[in-house]
Amino acid sequence: MTTPPIIEFQPTEIDAIAATEGRVALLIGAEGKLDQAARRVNKLSRGALVRFVESEAFAKMKSGQAKTLAFPAGMAAEAIDVVRLERRPSQDDARKAGAALSKLRGDAALLLLAGSNSKVHEVALGLALRDYNFNAHKTAEASARGTITVMCSKPEETAAAAAPMAALAEGVFFTRDLTNEPANILTTEDFAARLAAMQEIGLDVEILEEDALEKLGMRLLLSVGHGSASPSKVVVMRWNGGEKDAAPLALVGKGVVFDTGGISLKPAGGMEDMTMDMGGAGVVSGVMRALALRKAPANVVGLVGLVENMPSDRATRPGDVVTSMKGDTVEIINTDAEGRLVLADVLWYAQQEYKPAAIVNLATLTGAMIIALGHENAGVFSNDDSFAADFLKSAAAEGEGAWQLPLSPAYDKLLDSRIADMKNIGGRPAGSITAGQFLQRFVQDGTPWIHLDIAGVASVKSETALAPKGATGWGVLALDRLVRDRFEG
Ligand code: BES
Ligand code: ZN
Ligand code: MN
């Protein structure tokens, strides 16, 4: 498991700077004013800091950016990293500043002289989130990571503000690890075992095996997993930190550990990317982890459908008709539209079993989502505009791109089937919307519901502001904030 770096907060100790090894970093606002610690760095480095701050190079720096003065004279440190950041920066700039420092440090120890900056805890979150590397399958011995120490004017207050953020970083790292993990390692069995291990942090975890799913009538979900040697499972994680008996928020995730398309086989090129097709379940798991670690005063239940979509003589065929747990029949036109089948049954089960106050489901559901919004925004679909607006607000506040698309009866009609209650695909036009319409058929009227299609944002091929290339953990921060703003207290 990849764990976020531990960040220590201490009072500023000017006399410790000269002998500090590794890297020393400073936050300096646009006006270039130096605080006491910065003045000491300047003195030790024989004026190098003032020369830099008065230079064109500093004037051109954007807020949140960092530049390095390497091997300063008069100091044991290998580098001084100067970050341009106002004393009262935006949350976004503060996180970016932290991320910039993480990139520069590599494995080196870091001492950040943060002075009286008002968003030191946000700088720390950016540092932690960008300090991720998926090295689980690199045989070279991992080099020891240097410590991160932050010296600031209110270390105790800052540490208290940073504590829930450390929980968030753990949640994000958990999501990224799950999403990056290849399918021969992260089988449905292995996934369930990793979730069961979260009982240690106070989550109540229940694993529904195939016989139980069969009894419940989750035939749509089971029909997806039929072709695989790995057994299908539904895992339920419960966090009851809120009022006793208060209806929970339900989070539902698509956990297709690998998607070949099944009998409707995908082309070979890029098929390896489908190791991330459990990204929705990964986000649900990461949010549950963060909520438990920060002991959130809210009731949240996370449900993930874990299956593998493989072709075999036991696999579902195009043309098969399968009955859902709800009772509606589905004509499977394309076995590659499997995520909606998994979610339909888990959504229905979540409503029957937990009577949730609201539902958010997440899935790497459609390639069409990437065509529509690329890798910048997840698609948001909802039956409740005020709930959707709340989520969009949470996502914007956390810098996670999200954009709402419509649902309507005209799109729903595209799912009508000649021989069953519905087809599992609606054709090429509006492919992401018809997938959303399919899901909505399994959501009871009156239950506020949001579907997040994260196909474009769960894992990306170039680095983002707070993550290296690969799994991003998109959604963990936004959903944690949604819980804080709408489901706590
Ligand atoms: N898991 C895929 C969607 C996907 C594609 C996620 C690319 C991430 C990146 C999903 O199961 C799928 O195959 N959807 C089909 C649906 C089609 C058959 C209607 C698709 O998008 O092609
Ligand atoms: Zn899929
Ligand atoms: Mn598919």
Side-chain angles (χ1 to χ4, degrees):
M1 207 163 69
T2 316
T3 47
I6 292 167
I7 302 178
E8 308 263 16
F9 299 91
Q10 296 177 3
T12 307
E13 226 188 290
I14 305 280
D15 290 332
I17 295 171
T20 296
E21 293 182 12
R23 309 179 78 94
V24 172
L26 294 153
L27 309 178
I28 300 184
E31 72 294 346
K33 233 179 88 188
L34 304 190
D35 65 8
Q36 201 191 359
R39 289 200 299 273
R40 175 63 66 93
V41 169
N42 184 55
K43 190 168 164 206
L44 289 169
S45 66
R46 304 198 192 118
L49 189 59
V50 166
R51 281 183 62 201
F52 175 65
V53 166
E54 287 175 353
S55 73
E56 186 91 3
F58 181 77
K60 281 190 179 148
M61 275 170 80
K62 291 199 186 88
S63 184
Q65 256 188 344
K67 275 213 157 56
T68 298
L69 309 180
F71 298 102
M75 291 171 68
E78 66 188 60
I80 304 169
D81 295 322
V82 181
V83 184
R84 175 144 168 191
L85 195 68
E86 301 312 315
R87 218 175 68 77
R88 298 185 175 281
S90 69
Q91 174 187 288
D92 204 45
D93 284 351
R95 289 182 186 180
K96 271 197 201 128
L101 288 175
S102 161
K103 276 181 73 174
L104 288 173
R105 91 167 183 126
D107 289 326
L110 175 68
L111 169 65
L112 170 60
L113 300 165
S116 58
N117 194 284
S118 69
K119 296 260 166 69
V120 182
H121 53 295
E122 297 287 357
V123 176
L125 180 61
L127 237 171
L129 289 176
R130 190 60 183 73
D131 227 56
Y132 177 87
N133 268 305
F134 187 62
N135 289 332
H137 307 296
K138 299 264 194 197
T139 55
E141 217 174 296
S143 41
R145 317 231 349 109
T147 55
I148 302 180
T149 308
V150 177
M151 289 184 174
C152 56
S153 58
K154 292 178 183 161
E156 272 157 36
E157 247 175 65
T158 308
M165 305 203 144
L168 272 175
E170 277 218 34
V172 171
F173 275 38
F174 191 57
T175 300
R176 289 179 186 167
D177 272 1
L178 289 167
T179 307
N180 280 326
E181 201 69 270
N184 62 324
I185 309 285
L186 191 80
T187 58
T188 57
E189 295 275 15
D190 182 72
F191 200 150
R194 292 185 194 207
L195 300 185
M198 289 208 289
Q199 286 177 116
E200 280 165 34
I201 56 168
L203 285 169
D204 176 45
V205 182
E206 182 192 2
I207 301 176
L208 303 176
E209 305 288 354
E210 280 186 354
D211 50 351
L213 301 178
E214 208 110 23
K215 281 205 193 90
L216 286 163
M218 290 204 206
R219 297 247 261 304
L220 285 182
L221 181 144
L222 289 166
S223 78
V224 175
H226 260 158
S228 168
S230 289
S232 301
K233 293 168 194 286
V234 170
V235 181
V236 183
M237 295 158 270
R238 287 165 70 192
W239 176 253
N240 289 318
E243 260 172 59
K244 203 175 164 295
D245 301 329
L249 165 68
L251 302 176
V252 175
K254 167 182 176 181
V256 175
V257 295
F258 196 67
D259 178 15
T260 62
I263 299 297
S264 310
L265 195 63
K266 283 184 185 298
M271 203 200 274
E272 70 281 7
D273 291 341
M274 284 302 118
T275 54
M276 54 71 105
D277 209 19
M278 35 51 64
V283 173
V284 170
S285 307
V287 174
M288 296 310 295
R289 188 177 188 87
L291 294 175
L293 288 173
R294 72 171 179 82
K295 300 204 179 345
N299 295 343
V300 182
V301 57
L303 302 99
V304 293
L306 307 182
V307 301
E308 186 177 35
N309 188 22
M310 297 287 267
S312 90
D313 58 338
R314 292 178 23 103
T316 300
R317 316 159 194 77
D320 283 1
V321 174
V322 181
T323 306
S324 64
M325 179 183 174
K326 181 185 175 193
D328 292 356
T329 56
V330 179
E331 182 187 8
I332 315 278
I333 302 292
N334 189 320
T335 63
D336 198 10
E338 85 295 343
R340 62 197 74 184
L341 302 175
V342 173
L343 286 174
D345 276 343
V346 182
L347 281 167
W348 194 253
Y349 176 71
Q351 291 163 92
Q352 300 311 301
E353 191 69 20
Y354 297 104
K355 310 273 178 252
I359 307 175
V360 180
N361 76 246
L362 296 103
T364 48
L365 202 61
T366 62
M369 202 66 252
I370 307 173
I371 305 301
L373 299 178
H375 303 285
E376 309 305 321
N377 289 285
V380 179
F381 305 80
S382 181
N383 62 356
D384 183 317
D385 280 339
S386 120
F387 189 35
D390 283 348
F391 177 78
L392 289 167
K393 217 171 102 187
S394 303
E398 294 298 329
E400 293 183 326
W403 195 261
Q404 192 174 3
L405 283 87
L407 293 170
S408 83
Y411 293 116
D412 185 70
K413 209 169 143 28
L414 299 174
L415 295 169
D416 289 348
S417 158
R418 180 176 59 84
I419 64 166
D421 295 335
M422 70 194 88
K423 301 185 291 189
N424 77 326
I425 59 170
R428 271 175 67 82
S432 301
I433 298 177
T434 53
Q437 295 292 164
F438 186 93
L439 298 179
Q440 193 179 1
R441 289 185 178 221
F442 297 88
V443 175
Q444 279 160 321
D445 285 340
T447 303
W449 159 77
I450 294 171
H451 154 50
L452 300 172
D453 192 336
I454 61 170
V457 297
S459 183
V460 295
K461 299 234 184 286
S462 46
E463 66 171 325
T464 61
L466 299 175
K469 56 183 81 162
T472 61
W474 183 99
V476 175
L477 299 181
L479 287 167
D480 180 82
R481 183 177 277 264
L482 182 76
V483 169
R484 256 185 292 147
D485 291 352
R486 185 163 160 150
F487 296 94
E488 289 184 4

